[in-house]
Amino acid sequence: MNFPEDLDHLVRTDEPLAPLVWLGIGGPARFFAEPVDQQELAKIYQAATSAGLAIRILGGGSNVLVSEAGFDGLVISLAAAATSELSISENRLTAGAGAKLSHAVIKSVGAGLGGLEHLVGIPGTVGGAVCGNASNTGRDIGSVVESVKVIEGDGTTRTLTQQEAGFSHRKSSLVGVGVVEVTFLLEPRDVSALTKRMQKLWISRNSSRPTEQRRIAMPFVDPDGMPAKDLLHSCGLAGVREGDVSLDSAHPHYLIAHDGATSDQCLRLIQRVREQVLLQTGIDLQLNLQIW
Ligand SMILES: Cc1cc2nc3c(=O)[nH]c(=O)nc-3n(C[C@H](O)[C@H](O)[C@H](O)COP(=O)(O)OP(=O)(O)OC[C@H]3O[C@@H](n4cnc5c(N)ncnc54)[C@H](O)[C@@H]3O)c2cc1C
């Protein structure tokens, strides 16, 4: 397909996705674009939609497993300055979807606004976190979302309320929709108390994660009543391996891609683990990782 001439400079073909995702594996995107602002985003959305191309937005790539074949469509990054801006007005933080979640957390804490500090240390972008309703210590990001601006296939935008965004346990109705901007309604709190809380959470997160491994993912949703980590330990699945992919032996809710790992090996390991857990406990472990 050919994009209109004025978009030509924006679109790259056969762009490798492996360097853009935490697992570091998978094939290329047929088309890839990083629009500089919402106007360019709208134009490219419109052109891709009218050509019938599938569109995905890539955030920080911490929750995506790209298949060996890659993605046969358009992948959009919102990492440009204008699509990742953060601003505060009274108790509200508005974030471009491409903003790093860590930046949003630090900015809100620094402004004495509570509600995002427990998300410290979760990798990725605000857009990715809102789509997957990221959570930590039992509190999810959706609980402090006031509204979400999304882009339609024709390039127009509309604003959804918290309720319309459909947040539930590690889920929202936003997957497959283009999130452009998110407004959080936060609570005024004491800056130094918030900062201390954030630092404490940061330390405890780092001690429960394989920090020496760089190519990792957190593939499963915690089932009701039990962290996935404990469930996997109790099923004897810590350290289980498939080719060059394994679950971490100390923190088995993390999947590790070692040198030589492939997407197929990841998928086979995930399948094996789900089957074992179902067989041993009757629990149908749900996948958090998005497969492209
Ligand atoms: C080390 C590690 C620790 C983690 N800890 C946690 C944790 O404590 N809690 C937790 O909930 N998760 C955790 N995760 C999972 C992951 O970091 C989160 O799900 C994160 O919010 C994903 O954000 P991202 O920007 O990287 O999304 P990506 O991986 O880039 O994308 C994930 C999905 O969201 C979609 N998406 C991203 N941005 C947009 C957008 N703007 N519009 C529409 N769709 C979009 C993508 O298309 C894709 O389907 C962890 C992952 C790792 C690797």
Short mmCIF file of all heavy atoms in Angstrom, two decimals, residues 172-227:
data_model
loop_
_atom_site.label_atom_id
_atom_site.label_comp_id
_atom_site.label_asym_id
_atom_site.label_seq_id
_atom_site.Cartn_x
_atom_site.Cartn_y
_atom_site.Cartn_z
N SER A 172 -9.23 -3.48 30.43
CA SER A 172 -10.09 -2.33 30.13
C SER A 172 -10.72 -2.64 28.77
O SER A 172 -10.36 -3.62 28.13
CB SER A 172 -9.27 -1.05 30.02
OG SER A 172 -8.60 -1.01 28.78
N SER A 173 -11.64 -1.78 28.36
CA SER A 173 -12.20 -2.02 27.02
C SER A 173 -11.41 -1.22 25.99
O SER A 173 -11.87 -1.01 24.88
CB SER A 173 -13.68 -1.62 27.00
OG SER A 173 -13.80 -0.30 27.47
N LEU A 174 -10.18 -0.79 26.36
CA LEU A 174 -9.42 0.10 25.47
C LEU A 174 -8.42 -0.64 24.59
O LEU A 174 -7.81 -0.03 23.71
CB LEU A 174 -8.66 1.13 26.32
CG LEU A 174 -9.54 2.03 27.19
CD1 LEU A 174 -8.71 2.77 28.23
CD2 LEU A 174 -10.31 3.02 26.32
N VAL A 175 -8.22 -1.95 24.82
CA VAL A 175 -7.26 -2.68 23.99
C VAL A 175 -7.81 -2.70 22.56
O VAL A 175 -8.98 -2.98 22.33
CB VAL A 175 -7.02 -4.11 24.53
CG1 VAL A 175 -6.18 -4.93 23.55
CG2 VAL A 175 -6.33 -4.05 25.88
N GLY A 176 -6.94 -2.32 21.61
CA GLY A 176 -7.40 -2.26 20.21
C GLY A 176 -7.96 -0.89 19.84
O GLY A 176 -8.27 -0.63 18.68
N VAL A 177 -8.11 -0.01 20.84
CA VAL A 177 -8.56 1.36 20.59
C VAL A 177 -7.31 2.23 20.71
O VAL A 177 -6.39 1.88 21.42
CB VAL A 177 -9.57 1.76 21.70
CG1 VAL A 177 -9.96 3.21 21.60
CG2 VAL A 177 -10.79 0.87 21.67
N GLY A 178 -7.25 3.38 20.02
CA GLY A 178 -6.08 4.25 20.15
C GLY A 178 -6.28 5.25 21.28
O GLY A 178 -7.13 6.13 21.18
N VAL A 179 -5.50 5.09 22.36
CA VAL A 179 -5.59 6.06 23.47
C VAL A 179 -4.60 7.19 23.19
O VAL A 179 -3.42 6.93 22.93
CB VAL A 179 -5.26 5.39 24.81
CG1 VAL A 179 -5.18 6.42 25.93
CG2 VAL A 179 -6.29 4.34 25.14
N VAL A 180 -5.07 8.42 23.24
CA VAL A 180 -4.24 9.56 22.89
C VAL A 180 -3.84 10.33 24.15
O VAL A 180 -2.72 10.82 24.25
CB VAL A 180 -5.03 10.49 21.94
CG1 VAL A 180 -4.23 11.73 21.60
CG2 VAL A 180 -5.41 9.75 20.68
N GLU A 181 -4.75 10.43 25.08
CA GLU A 181 -4.50 11.26 26.26
C GLU A 181 -5.35 10.75 27.44
O GLU A 181 -6.46 10.26 27.21
CB GLU A 181 -4.92 12.69 25.91
CG GLU A 181 -4.46 13.75 26.87
CD GLU A 181 -4.91 15.11 26.36
OE1 GLU A 181 -4.18 15.72 25.57
OE2 GLU A 181 -6.01 15.53 26.77
N VAL A 182 -4.81 10.90 28.64
CA VAL A 182 -5.54 10.42 29.82
C VAL A 182 -5.53 11.52 30.88
O VAL A 182 -4.48 12.14 31.12
CB VAL A 182 -4.86 9.15 30.42
CG1 VAL A 182 -5.66 8.62 31.60
CG2 VAL A 182 -4.70 8.07 29.35
N THR A 183 -6.68 11.75 31.51
CA THR A 183 -6.71 12.69 32.63
C THR A 183 -7.00 11.92 33.92
O THR A 183 -7.95 11.12 33.98
CB THR A 183 -7.78 13.78 32.41
OG1 THR A 183 -7.40 14.50 31.24
CG2 THR A 183 -7.84 14.76 33.57
N PHE A 184 -6.13 12.16 34.91
CA PHE A 184 -6.28 11.51 36.21
C PHE A 184 -6.79 12.53 37.22
O PHE A 184 -6.33 13.68 37.24
CB PHE A 184 -4.92 10.98 36.72
CG PHE A 184 -4.29 9.98 35.80
CD1 PHE A 184 -3.30 10.35 34.90
CD2 PHE A 184 -4.68 8.64 35.83
CE1 PHE A 184 -2.71 9.42 34.05
CE2 PHE A 184 -4.10 7.71 34.98
CZ PHE A 184 -3.12 8.09 34.09
N LEU A 185 -7.71 12.11 38.04
CA LEU A 185 -8.21 12.96 39.13
C LEU A 185 -7.56 12.44 40.41
O LEU A 185 -7.83 11.31 40.85
CB LEU A 185 -9.73 12.87 39.20
CG LEU A 185 -10.40 13.75 40.26
CD1 LEU A 185 -10.06 15.22 40.05
CD2 LEU A 185 -11.92 13.57 40.22
N LEU A 186 -6.68 13.28 41.00
CA LEU A 186 -5.84 12.82 42.12
C LEU A 186 -6.21 13.56 43.40
O LEU A 186 -7.02 14.49 43.36
CB LEU A 186 -4.37 13.01 41.74
CG LEU A 186 -3.97 12.31 40.43
CD1 LEU A 186 -2.59 12.74 39.95
CD2 LEU A 186 -4.01 10.79 40.58
N GLU A 187 -5.59 13.14 44.50
CA GLU A 187 -5.93 13.76 45.80
C GLU A 187 -4.75 14.53 46.36
O GLU A 187 -3.64 13.98 46.43
CB GLU A 187 -6.27 12.66 46.80
CG GLU A 187 -7.67 12.19 46.66
CD GLU A 187 -8.05 11.29 47.83
OE1 GLU A 187 -7.43 11.38 48.90
OE2 GLU A 187 -8.99 10.50 47.63
N PRO A 188 -4.97 15.76 46.81
CA PRO A 188 -3.87 16.53 47.41
C PRO A 188 -3.35 15.83 48.67
O PRO A 188 -4.15 15.42 49.50
CB PRO A 188 -4.51 17.87 47.78
CG PRO A 188 -5.82 17.91 47.09
CD PRO A 188 -6.25 16.51 46.82
N ARG A 189 -2.05 15.66 48.73
CA ARG A 189 -1.41 15.02 49.90
C ARG A 189 -0.09 15.72 50.19
O ARG A 189 0.41 16.47 49.37
CB ARG A 189 -1.10 13.54 49.61
CG ARG A 189 -2.27 12.70 49.24
CD ARG A 189 -2.66 11.78 50.41
NE ARG A 189 -3.86 11.05 50.06
CZ ARG A 189 -3.87 9.94 49.34
NH1 ARG A 189 -2.75 9.43 48.91
NH2 ARG A 189 -5.00 9.33 49.06
N ASP A 190 0.47 15.34 51.33
CA ASP A 190 1.75 15.90 51.72
C ASP A 190 2.88 15.33 50.83
O ASP A 190 3.02 14.11 50.71
CB ASP A 190 1.99 15.54 53.20
CG ASP A 190 3.34 16.00 53.66
OD1 ASP A 190 3.56 17.22 53.64
OD2 ASP A 190 4.18 15.13 54.00
N VAL A 191 3.67 16.23 50.23
CA VAL A 191 4.70 15.79 49.27
C VAL A 191 5.70 14.84 49.91
O VAL A 191 6.04 13.79 49.33
CB VAL A 191 5.45 17.00 48.66
CG1 VAL A 191 6.56 16.55 47.73
CG2 VAL A 191 4.50 17.90 47.90
N SER A 192 6.18 15.17 51.13
CA SER A 192 7.24 14.32 51.67
C SER A 192 6.69 12.95 52.09
O SER A 192 7.36 11.93 51.91
CB SER A 192 8.01 15.01 52.80
OG SER A 192 7.14 15.28 53.85
N ALA A 193 5.45 12.90 52.56
CA ALA A 193 4.86 11.59 52.90
C ALA A 193 4.67 10.76 51.62
O ALA A 193 4.96 9.55 51.59
CB ALA A 193 3.52 11.79 53.61
N LEU A 194 4.23 11.41 50.56
CA LEU A 194 4.03 10.69 49.29
C LEU A 194 5.37 10.17 48.75
O LEU A 194 5.47 9.05 48.26
CB LEU A 194 3.46 11.65 48.23
CG LEU A 194 1.95 11.79 48.11
CD1 LEU A 194 1.61 12.78 47.00
CD2 LEU A 194 1.28 10.45 47.81
N THR A 195 6.39 11.05 48.86
CA THR A 195 7.71 10.67 48.34
C THR A 195 8.24 9.46 49.11
O THR A 195 8.75 8.50 48.51
CB THR A 195 8.70 11.86 48.45
OG1 THR A 195 8.09 12.99 47.84
CG2 THR A 195 10.02 11.57 47.79
N LYS A 196 8.08 9.48 50.41
CA LYS A 196 8.56 8.35 51.23
C LYS A 196 7.84 7.06 50.85
O LYS A 196 8.44 6.01 50.72
CB LYS A 196 8.33 8.64 52.73
CG LYS A 196 9.48 9.39 53.31
CD LYS A 196 9.40 9.40 54.83
CE LYS A 196 10.27 10.53 55.37
NZ LYS A 196 9.63 11.39 56.33
N ARG A 197 6.53 7.17 50.67
CA ARG A 197 5.74 5.99 50.29
C ARG A 197 6.22 5.44 48.95
O ARG A 197 6.39 4.25 48.76
CB ARG A 197 4.26 6.38 50.23
CG ARG A 197 3.34 5.24 49.85
CD ARG A 197 1.88 5.60 50.11
NE ARG A 197 0.99 4.94 49.17
CZ ARG A 197 0.73 3.65 49.16
NH1 ARG A 197 1.29 2.86 50.04
NH2 ARG A 197 -0.10 3.15 48.26
N MET A 198 6.45 6.36 48.00
CA MET A 198 6.90 5.93 46.67
C MET A 198 8.26 5.24 46.76
O MET A 198 8.48 4.19 46.15
CB MET A 198 6.98 7.17 45.76
CG MET A 198 7.40 6.85 44.35
SD MET A 198 7.48 8.33 43.33
CE MET A 198 8.94 9.11 43.95
N GLN A 199 9.16 5.81 47.58
CA GLN A 199 10.50 5.21 47.69
C GLN A 199 10.42 3.82 48.31
O GLN A 199 11.10 2.88 47.87
CB GLN A 199 11.41 6.12 48.54
CG GLN A 199 11.82 7.36 47.79
CD GLN A 199 12.42 8.43 48.69
OE1 GLN A 199 12.22 8.41 49.91
NE2 GLN A 199 13.14 9.38 48.10
N LYS A 200 9.55 3.67 49.32
CA LYS A 200 9.39 2.37 49.99
C LYS A 200 8.90 1.32 48.99
O LYS A 200 9.39 0.19 48.92
CB LYS A 200 8.37 2.50 51.13
CG LYS A 200 8.92 2.15 52.48
CD LYS A 200 7.93 2.49 53.54
CE LYS A 200 7.49 1.25 54.29
NZ LYS A 200 6.56 1.60 55.37
N LEU A 201 7.89 1.73 48.21
CA LEU A 201 7.33 0.80 47.23
C LEU A 201 8.36 0.43 46.16
O LEU A 201 8.43 -0.71 45.71
CB LEU A 201 6.10 1.43 46.55
CG LEU A 201 4.84 1.47 47.42
CD1 LEU A 201 3.82 2.44 46.85
CD2 LEU A 201 4.24 0.08 47.51
N TRP A 202 9.17 1.40 45.81
CA TRP A 202 10.21 1.17 44.78
C TRP A 202 11.20 0.12 45.28
O TRP A 202 11.56 -0.82 44.56
CB TRP A 202 10.90 2.51 44.47
CG TRP A 202 12.12 2.42 43.63
CD1 TRP A 202 13.41 2.62 44.02
CD2 TRP A 202 12.18 2.09 42.23
NE1 TRP A 202 14.26 2.46 42.97
CE2 TRP A 202 13.55 2.13 41.86
CE3 TRP A 202 11.23 1.78 41.27
CZ2 TRP A 202 13.97 1.86 40.56
CZ3 TRP A 202 11.66 1.51 39.97
CH2 TRP A 202 13.00 1.55 39.63
N ILE A 203 11.60 0.25 46.55
CA ILE A 203 12.57 -0.70 47.11
C ILE A 203 11.95 -2.10 47.17
O ILE A 203 12.55 -3.09 46.76
CB ILE A 203 13.04 -0.24 48.51
CG1 ILE A 203 13.87 1.03 48.36
CG2 ILE A 203 13.83 -1.32 49.23
CD1 ILE A 203 14.11 1.80 49.64
N SER A 204 10.68 -2.18 47.62
CA SER A 204 10.08 -3.51 47.76
C SER A 204 9.84 -4.14 46.37
O SER A 204 9.99 -5.33 46.17
CB SER A 204 8.82 -3.47 48.60
OG SER A 204 7.68 -3.35 47.82
N ARG A 205 9.54 -3.33 45.37
CA ARG A 205 9.36 -3.87 44.00
C ARG A 205 10.67 -4.45 43.49
O ARG A 205 10.71 -5.52 42.91
CB ARG A 205 8.95 -2.75 43.05
CG ARG A 205 7.51 -2.47 42.98
CD ARG A 205 7.24 -1.58 41.81
NE ARG A 205 7.47 -2.28 40.56
CZ ARG A 205 6.56 -2.99 39.94
NH1 ARG A 205 5.37 -3.10 40.42
NH2 ARG A 205 6.84 -3.61 38.81
N ASN A 206 11.76 -3.68 43.68
CA ASN A 206 13.03 -4.13 43.14
C ASN A 206 13.53 -5.41 43.78
O ASN A 206 14.26 -6.18 43.17
CB ASN A 206 14.08 -3.02 43.27
CG ASN A 206 14.05 -2.13 42.05
OD1 ASN A 206 13.45 -2.48 41.04
ND2 ASN A 206 14.67 -0.98 42.15
N SER A 207 13.09 -5.63 45.04
CA SER A 207 13.55 -6.86 45.69
C SER A 207 12.72 -8.07 45.24
O SER A 207 13.05 -9.20 45.53
CB SER A 207 13.48 -6.71 47.20
OG SER A 207 12.14 -6.56 47.57
N SER A 208 11.62 -7.82 44.54
CA SER A 208 10.79 -8.96 44.12
C SER A 208 10.77 -9.10 42.61
O SER A 208 9.79 -9.45 42.00
CB SER A 208 9.36 -8.78 44.64
OG SER A 208 8.81 -7.60 44.09
N ARG A 209 11.92 -8.78 42.02
CA ARG A 209 11.99 -8.84 40.56
C ARG A 209 13.40 -9.27 40.14
O ARG A 209 14.37 -8.89 40.79
CB ARG A 209 11.68 -7.44 40.07
CG ARG A 209 12.10 -7.11 38.69
CD ARG A 209 11.57 -5.75 38.34
NE ARG A 209 12.30 -5.22 37.21
CZ ARG A 209 12.07 -4.03 36.68
NH1 ARG A 209 11.16 -3.26 37.20
NH2 ARG A 209 12.74 -3.63 35.66
N PRO A 210 13.52 -10.08 39.08
CA PRO A 210 14.87 -10.51 38.65
C PRO A 210 15.60 -9.35 37.99
O PRO A 210 15.62 -9.22 36.76
CB PRO A 210 14.59 -11.65 37.66
CG PRO A 210 13.18 -11.48 37.23
CD PRO A 210 12.46 -10.63 38.24
N THR A 211 16.21 -8.46 38.80
CA THR A 211 16.77 -7.21 38.26
C THR A 211 17.96 -7.44 37.33
O THR A 211 18.30 -6.57 36.55
CB THR A 211 17.21 -6.28 39.42
OG1 THR A 211 17.82 -7.08 40.41
CG2 THR A 211 16.05 -5.51 40.01
N GLU A 212 18.60 -8.61 37.45
CA GLU A 212 19.77 -8.84 36.59
C GLU A 212 19.36 -9.23 35.16
O GLU A 212 20.17 -9.28 34.26
CB GLU A 212 20.71 -9.90 37.21
CG GLU A 212 20.22 -11.34 37.22
CD GLU A 212 19.09 -11.60 38.23
OE1 GLU A 212 18.67 -10.69 38.97
OE2 GLU A 212 18.60 -12.74 38.23
N GLN A 213 18.06 -9.52 34.98
CA GLN A 213 17.58 -9.92 33.64
C GLN A 213 16.95 -8.73 32.96
O GLN A 213 16.12 -8.05 33.54
CB GLN A 213 16.52 -11.03 33.76
CG GLN A 213 16.98 -12.27 34.49
CD GLN A 213 17.94 -13.10 33.67
OE1 GLN A 213 18.13 -12.84 32.49
NE2 GLN A 213 18.56 -14.08 34.30
N ARG A 214 17.30 -8.49 31.70
CA ARG A 214 16.74 -7.33 31.00
C ARG A 214 15.57 -7.72 30.10
O ARG A 214 14.65 -6.95 29.89
CB ARG A 214 17.83 -6.64 30.18
CG ARG A 214 18.75 -5.81 31.09
CD ARG A 214 19.87 -5.11 30.35
NE ARG A 214 19.41 -4.43 29.15
CZ ARG A 214 19.77 -4.81 27.91
NH1 ARG A 214 20.57 -5.85 27.74
NH2 ARG A 214 19.33 -4.16 26.87
N ARG A 215 15.62 -8.94 29.56
CA ARG A 215 14.57 -9.31 28.59
C ARG A 215 13.50 -10.14 29.30
O ARG A 215 13.54 -11.37 29.31
CB ARG A 215 15.21 -10.05 27.42
CG ARG A 215 16.11 -9.10 26.61
CD ARG A 215 16.96 -9.84 25.63
NE ARG A 215 16.16 -10.70 24.78
CZ ARG A 215 16.67 -11.70 24.07
NH1 ARG A 215 17.95 -11.98 24.13
NH2 ARG A 215 15.88 -12.44 23.32
N ILE A 216 12.58 -9.43 29.94
CA ILE A 216 11.58 -10.12 30.75
C ILE A 216 10.17 -9.62 30.46
O ILE A 216 9.99 -8.55 29.89
CB ILE A 216 11.87 -10.00 32.27
CG1 ILE A 216 11.91 -8.53 32.70
CG2 ILE A 216 13.15 -10.67 32.64
CD1 ILE A 216 12.18 -8.38 34.20
N ALA A 217 9.19 -10.41 30.89
CA ALA A 217 7.79 -10.01 30.79
C ALA A 217 7.06 -10.61 31.98
O ALA A 217 7.55 -11.55 32.62
CB ALA A 217 7.17 -10.53 29.49
N MET A 218 5.88 -10.03 32.25
CA MET A 218 5.04 -10.56 33.33
C MET A 218 3.78 -11.09 32.63
O MET A 218 2.84 -10.34 32.42
CB MET A 218 4.71 -9.38 34.25
CG MET A 218 4.32 -9.76 35.62
SD MET A 218 3.71 -8.28 36.45
CE MET A 218 4.76 -8.24 37.83
N PRO A 219 3.80 -12.37 32.22
CA PRO A 219 2.76 -12.81 31.29
C PRO A 219 1.36 -13.01 31.86
O PRO A 219 0.39 -12.92 31.13
CB PRO A 219 3.30 -14.14 30.74
CG PRO A 219 4.31 -14.60 31.72
CD PRO A 219 4.84 -13.40 32.44
N PHE A 220 1.26 -13.30 33.19
CA PHE A 220 -0.05 -13.74 33.70
C PHE A 220 -0.71 -12.69 34.61
O PHE A 220 -0.03 -11.95 35.31
CB PHE A 220 0.09 -15.05 34.48
CG PHE A 220 0.73 -16.14 33.66
CD1 PHE A 220 2.00 -16.62 33.96
CD2 PHE A 220 0.07 -16.68 32.56
CE1 PHE A 220 2.59 -17.62 33.21
CE2 PHE A 220 0.66 -17.67 31.79
CZ PHE A 220 1.92 -18.14 32.11
N VAL A 221 -2.01 -12.71 34.62
CA VAL A 221 -2.79 -11.90 35.56
C VAL A 221 -2.88 -12.68 36.87
O VAL A 221 -3.11 -13.90 36.85
CB VAL A 221 -4.23 -11.69 35.00
CG1 VAL A 221 -5.09 -10.91 35.99
CG2 VAL A 221 -4.19 -10.98 33.65
N ASP A 222 -2.72 -12.00 38.00
CA ASP A 222 -2.92 -12.68 39.29
C ASP A 222 -4.36 -13.18 39.35
O ASP A 222 -5.29 -12.38 39.20
CB ASP A 222 -2.70 -11.70 40.46
CG ASP A 222 -1.23 -11.38 40.67
OD1 ASP A 222 -0.37 -12.14 40.20
OD2 ASP A 222 -0.96 -10.33 41.30
N PRO A 223 -4.55 -14.48 39.59
CA PRO A 223 -5.95 -14.94 39.70
C PRO A 223 -6.54 -14.45 41.02
O PRO A 223 -5.80 -14.04 41.92
CB PRO A 223 -5.82 -16.46 39.70
CG PRO A 223 -4.42 -16.75 40.08
CD PRO A 223 -3.59 -15.56 39.77
N ASP A 224 -7.86 -14.50 41.14
CA ASP A 224 -8.52 -14.02 42.36
C ASP A 224 -7.94 -14.71 43.59
O ASP A 224 -7.83 -15.94 43.62
CB ASP A 224 -10.02 -14.34 42.31
CG ASP A 224 -10.74 -13.23 41.58
OD1 ASP A 224 -10.10 -12.19 41.33
OD2 ASP A 224 -11.92 -13.42 41.24
N GLY A 225 -7.55 -13.91 44.56
CA GLY A 225 -7.18 -14.48 45.85
C GLY A 225 -5.78 -15.02 45.98
O GLY A 225 -5.39 -15.43 47.06
N MET A 226 -5.00 -15.05 44.89
CA MET A 226 -3.64 -15.57 45.03
C MET A 226 -2.71 -14.95 43.98
O MET A 226 -3.03 -14.96 42.79
CB MET A 226 -3.64 -17.09 44.84
CG MET A 226 -2.30 -17.72 45.15
SD MET A 226 -2.16 -19.42 44.61
CE MET A 226 -2.41 -20.29 46.11
N PRO A 227 -1.56 -14.41 44.41
CA PRO A 227 -0.64 -13.90 43.40
C PRO A 227 -0.18 -15.03 42.47
O PRO A 227 0.03 -16.17 42.93
CB PRO A 227 0.54 -13.37 44.22
CG PRO A 227 0.05 -13.22 45.61
CD PRO A 227 -1.05 -14.24 45.78
#
